[in-house]
Amino acid sequence: MWGGRFEAAPDAIMQEINASIGFDKRLYSQDIVGSKAHVAMLAAVGILTEAEAKRIAKGLDRILAEIEAGTFTFSRALEDIHMNIEARLAELIGPVAGKLHTARSRNDQVATDFRLYMRDFLDAADVALAGLQRALAEKALAHAGTVMPGFTHLQTAQPVTFGHHLLAYVEMLARDRGRLADARKRLNECPLGAAALAGTSFPIDRRMTAKALGFARPMANSLDAVSDRDFVLEPLAAAAISAMHLTRLAEEIVLWCSAQFGFVRLTDAFSTGSSIMPQKRNPDAAELVRAKLGRISGAFQGLLMVMKGLPLAYSKDMQEDKEATFDALDAFALTISAMTAMIRDLEPDEQAMRAAAAAGFSTATDLADWLVRHLGLPFREAHHVTGGIVALAEARGVGLEALDLAAMQEIEPRITREVYSVLSVERSVASRRSYGGTAPQNVRKMAKGWIKRLDRQAVRGK
């Protein structure tokens, strides 16, 4: 492919380090789509004849069919997907195939292919994350009134509802989708026509190819078009943040499935056993979701180091942009799918959750609030009084709702029997009606709102 400049073939080691076909062959459909847009433009501006363009496009369609049928032979000697397709095109249609590369370089070609690939991935990831949001929202609606302990520092803090807990992840995923959508907007510019680095002397129409490929516009600077990979880095960073959110939910599923918590159960479909301990039911899918973040964040850091300090424009270092990225994006997609399936699969043990919520003096804040509302105590004083009552209940080995009134009055004589109206976990969650609070009526409204919003997004295709 190097023409007349070289007299000898590259060393076998050079071929091994230089070849990328082993991983960049997954860009075949983007490469063919980009080539067809390019050749159509070349014909439209008179650089190629209509007959030549049709012949090239027909050959590209045949190659696409061969690859999808599994009959295409990929050659490491041809380095990458671009040269593999071009070489096969020459076999099919002869020397006219060489005209396809007029007014472009592999530099702008690969940048275009990769942007198309990233755009396709982001669209698919958005749909998948919306599916996970729906699974969470539907489960939240079903358990809007299921009481569980809310934690801080992994210590029982206040009662919440299971539905409210799940909706927290719906909100996180909404921000994740927003970051991915923002990244898509920024990457949706077309490098094609930037050629190697300086543009081309041929009278091409870059706006035509950009429009044909669904880009918002052609990139404005030919050097920038071929030399940056921020369009990969930004989605990887956003994917890492999203995967981090999923690891938090995965960790909670691992904890909740344990005998020590016993909050939820996964069916056999999402549990595994032990080769030596027959009693074991391991939440391995959740554990693997938890682990996948390493690959995703590692790909981001790896590409960041590849790009660090590279002078303009293209350097071969940038061939290292794809392999880890593809692996990371695959891991992210699998993580979303696995988490969606687990959320649909798991069922909470409502009695175990309720019992845990009632333990640990979780309605102490409700008691302090009652003291403020009914006795007019400053909150800091109410906090101190409540702490004394909790200490007394703990010493007697009972919960706040089981502590007799006389005992409470030892700490604060003005407390009346009405205080018991706020000490049950059900009354506690029902009272949290402030916007964003855990009250079941709030949860039902929010869950239904999210389901409607997701329905509208699905109809609009967003």
Side-chain angles (χ1 to χ4, degrees):
M1 73 182 74
W2 307 119
R5 176 65 178 86
F6 291 80
E7 297 179 358
D11 186 90
I13 294 176
M14 179 62 196
Q15 289 182 326
E16 184 65 23
I17 196 172
N18 199 42
S20 60
I21 188 61
F23 51 85
D24 70 14
K25 62 186 177 183
R26 72 165 66 192
L27 296 174
Y28 72 88
S29 63
Q30 289 83 11
D31 193 72
I32 289 172
V33 165
S35 290
K36 290 181 69 174
H38 182 66
V39 78
M41 179 274 295
L42 293 177
V45 299
I47 296 173
L48 296 184
T49 67
E50 288 293 336
E52 288 171 329
K54 288 181 180 178
R55 192 173 176 189
I56 291 171
K58 186 176 180 180
L60 290 170
D61 285 338
R62 179 171 172 182
I63 293 169
L64 178 63
E66 290 177 353
I67 295 174
E68 292 181 341
T71 60
F72 187 92
T73 300
F74 293 99
S75 169
R76 287 183 65 80
L78 293 170
E79 292 188 9
D80 57 30
I81 187 61
H82 322 296
M83 296 309 299
N84 269 263
I85 289 175
E86 189 172 323
R88 177 57 177 155
L89 186 64
E91 291 175 355
L92 292 173
I93 67 173
V96 70
K99 294 188 176 185
L100 170 61
H101 209 53
T102 305
R104 76 174 184 185
S105 162
R106 281 194 296 177
N107 293 356
D108 62 331
Q109 186 179 358
V110 68
T112 301
D113 293 355
F114 208 1
R115 282 179 183 262
L116 290 171
Y117 183 89
M118 294 302 299
R119 194 177 69 186
D120 291 342
F121 175 83
L122 290 172
D123 290 344
D126 184 70
V127 171
L129 287 170
L132 177 51
Q133 284 183 295
R134 172 175 284 279
L136 288 162
E138 289 174 349
K139 190 74 74 172
L141 182 59
H143 293 282
T146 299
V147 179
M148 68 175 291
F151 298 97
T152 62
H153 309 278
L154 204 56
Q155 305 292 315
T156 300
Q158 292 177 269
V160 296
T161 66
F162 187 48
H164 189 61
H165 194 107
L166 295 178
L167 287 179
Y169 287 100
V170 176
E171 297 292 334
M172 294 181 209
L173 293 173
R175 295 192 296 274
D176 294 337
R177 291 178 64 196
R179 278 182 281 269
L180 292 169
D182 287 344
R184 190 194 191 283
K185 290 177 184 177
R186 273 183 285 280
L187 71 76
N188 200 34
E189 296 183 339
C190 187
L192 196 58
L197 75 161
T200 178
S201 59
F202 288 96
I204 62 173
D205 185 347
R206 293 191 62 207
R207 287 180 175 79
M208 178 180 174
T209 49
K211 182 178 180 180
L213 294 172
F215 288 109
R217 63 191 68 83
M219 294 189 72
N221 184 283
S222 60
L223 289 165
D224 177 46
V226 300
S227 67
D228 206 352
R229 290 297 183 267
D230 58 351
F231 68 90
V232 183
L233 284 165
E234 188 174 8
L236 282 175
I241 293 172
S242 184
M244 175 274 294
H245 285 150
L246 298 186
T247 68
R248 300 181 72 184
L249 180 54
E251 170 66 3
E252 292 189 315
I253 291 174
V254 171
L255 290 172
W256 294 343
C257 284
S258 69
Q260 289 73 22
F261 277 76
F263 286 0
V264 304
R265 181 180 175 87
L266 291 169
T267 70
D268 291 351
F270 287 94
S271 303
T272 63
S274 165
S275 64
I276 189 172
M277 295 169 285
Q279 83 280 9
K280 294 295 293 295
R281 288 178 58 84
N282 300 323
D284 281 1
E287 292 173 16
L288 289 166
V289 166
R290 193 174 57 187
K292 295 291 184 185
L293 175 59
R295 300 170 105 174
I296 300 166
S297 62
F300 170 72
Q301 291 293 336
L303 182 54
L304 202 64
M305 293 303 99
V306 168
M307 298 303 298
K308 173 188 174 294
L310 286 186
L312 298 180
Y314 181 83
S315 296
K316 194 68 170 183
D317 310 49
M318 292 166 66
Q319 183 169 291
E320 291 295 312
D321 59 355
K322 298 177 193 67
E323 192 168 12
T325 296
F326 292 152
D327 179 76
L329 298 183
D330 290 346
F332 184 46
L334 182 57
T335 293
I336 300 169
S337 296
M339 186 56 74
T340 303
M342 278 190 288
I343 291 299
R344 295 196 182 281
D345 182 77
L346 66 80
E347 284 300 327
D349 184 328
E350 297 184 25
Q351 290 184 343
M353 283 186 168
R354 200 271 178 203
F361 311 105
S362 64
T363 57
T365 304
D366 298 273
L367 173 55
D369 289 345
W370 185 91
L371 294 171
V372 171
R373 284 196 304 270
H374 291 270
L375 303 186
L377 296 183
F379 182 80
R380 285 303 170 200
E381 184 179 346
H383 185 285
H384 181 76
V385 169
T386 300
I389 294 173
V390 167
L392 183 59
E394 186 174 35
R396 296 189 180 187
V398 297
L400 289 176
E401 73 282 1
L403 189 64
D404 61 81
L405 180 61
M408 292 191 199
Q409 289 174 336
E410 292 176 15
I411 308 296
E412 172 48 67
R414 291 176 292 169
I415 293 177
T416 67
R417 186 162 296 279
E418 187 180 349
V419 73
Y420 291 102
S421 68
V422 301
L423 296 182
S424 75
V425 292
E426 287 79 12
R427 287 182 180 272
S428 175
V429 296
S431 71
R432 308 291 171 178
R433 295 186 296 272
S434 59
Y435 182 77
T438 191
Q441 66 188 60
N442 286 13
V443 174
R444 292 187 187 95
K445 182 178 180 180
M446 284 290 187
K448 289 177 181 178
W450 266 112
I451 291 168
K452 289 180 181 179
R453 191 185 315 179
L454 292 165
D455 284 340
R456 290 194 298 270
Q457 290 173 354
V459 170
R460 294 198 304 266
K462 294 183 180 179

